[in-house]
Amino acid sequence: ASVDGAQELREEQKIFNLLACPNYEELATNLVALNNERNNTGFILSDAPMRLEDTGTAITNYATNANGDGLTTADPYFAVFYPSCQTTDLSGTVVVAPATHMILRTVVRSDDVAYPWLAPAGTRRGTVDNATQLGYVDALTQGLRDTLYENSINPITFIPGSGILNYGNKTTFTGSSLDRINVARLVAFIRGRLEVIGKNFVFEPNDQTTRDEIKNSIESLMI
């Protein structure tokens, strides 16, 4: 209800480019609907269930919804991450947190040092520094990482010498370049900027002068 009934989240004055409800993966369809209403100017980060076993069979069954309780949302602006992590709360107590606890920070830090259209993954922009270790999983084997990626789930793993990293760049969409997070975020970024540019010309005469100004503004954005 907080997502579906919140008019404030749908106001054009509210500008944001990331959406997440950590540990509430069941809100995937609600967040996708919200993003659609906002003209897909944002990108959604979501978790695989904490209960998901680190086996190829369990991951494939979840990704394909083989048992009726798995992933059912496929959208160009939606990505899923696995597994959870261990970190500490404000009192210093060790707690288990969902994958998006790590990924939200990783994506924001990637945007700070680069651009939304560069993958927030790997050793350069995928570092996780707000977790001490992966939750319930010592490390994802290469085979398990491959299974996750083949099923459009982004693995978070420990790489010796580099630490904990986001090692995925997949959306849950297939069939075009929008199956990659950086491409989808580029499209969302451009769409958002075009909305801002367009508002500058509301109520202006529909003549050649206005059209040239719009064209110049858009060309300046694309340079």
Side-chain angles (χ1 to χ4, degrees):
S2 296
V3 175
D4 295 342
Q7 185 58 40
E8 183 181 12
L9 295 177
R10 291 157 173 80
E11 296 291 343
E12 61 182 9
Q13 293 88 351
K14 297 292 182 180
I15 299 175
F16 48 85
N17 57 21
L18 291 175
L19 299 83
C21 287
N23 207 29
Y24 286 90
E25 64 271 7
E26 62 269 26
L27 289 179
T29 55
N30 307 79
L31 292 176
V32 168
L34 171 61
N35 197 37
N36 287 340
E37 291 182 43
R38 293 183 56 86
N39 299 320
N40 289 319
T41 53
F43 192 86
I44 303 156
L45 308 172
S46 188
D47 309 290
M50 284 192 180
R51 68 179 184 278
L52 185 61
E53 297 179 5
D54 57 335
T55 66
T57 299
I59 289 168
T60 301
N61 287 343
Y62 167 74
T64 59
N65 195 32
N67 298 323
D69 60 350
L71 185 63
T72 59
T73 303
D75 189 85
Y77 307 100
F78 176 76
V80 177
F81 297 84
Y82 175 86
S84 57
C85 69
Q86 288 188 26
T87 184
T88 55
D89 62 16
L90 295 178
S91 67
T93 303
V94 175
V95 295
V96 176
T100 46
H101 169 81
M102 298 178 281
I103 294 304
L104 273 168
R105 179 174 171 84
T106 298
V107 173
V108 170
R109 292 178 75 248
S110 176
D111 288 356
D112 282 343
V113 300
Y115 303 97
W117 50 88
L118 295 180
T123 57
R124 293 191 177 185
R125 294 178 302 277
T127 299
V128 172
D129 62 2
N130 61 341
T132 54
Q133 65 183 69
L134 300 179
Y136 306 120
V137 179
D138 291 332
L140 296 181
T141 64
Q142 184 172 344
L144 198 58
R145 294 202 308 264
D146 291 344
T147 299
L148 286 161
Y149 217 52
E150 289 167 1
N151 286 280
S152 298
I153 300 175
N154 298 292
I156 303 171
T157 190
F158 177 81
I159 302 294
S162 298
I164 301 175
L165 303 174
N166 171 38
Y167 228 61
N169 188 43
K170 285 280 190 77
T171 72
T172 55
F173 183 77
T174 58
S176 79
S177 295
L178 289 172
D179 66 351
R180 281 161 283 180
I181 292 173
N182 64 311
V183 176
R185 294 194 70 212
L186 169 61
V187 174
F189 173 83
I190 292 174
R191 187 179 288 116
R193 295 304 303 162
L194 290 177
E195 283 190 4
V196 173
I197 290 173
K199 288 173 184 175
N200 292 327
F201 298 96
V202 175
F203 302 116
E204 293 302 305
N206 185 10
D207 56 19
Q208 190 61 47
T209 299
T210 300
R211 289 191 289 273
D212 287 344
E213 290 180 358
I214 295 174
K215 179 174 178 292
N216 291 336
S217 296
I218 294 174
E219 287 179 345
S220 296
L221 170 67
M222 297 301 180
I223 292 176

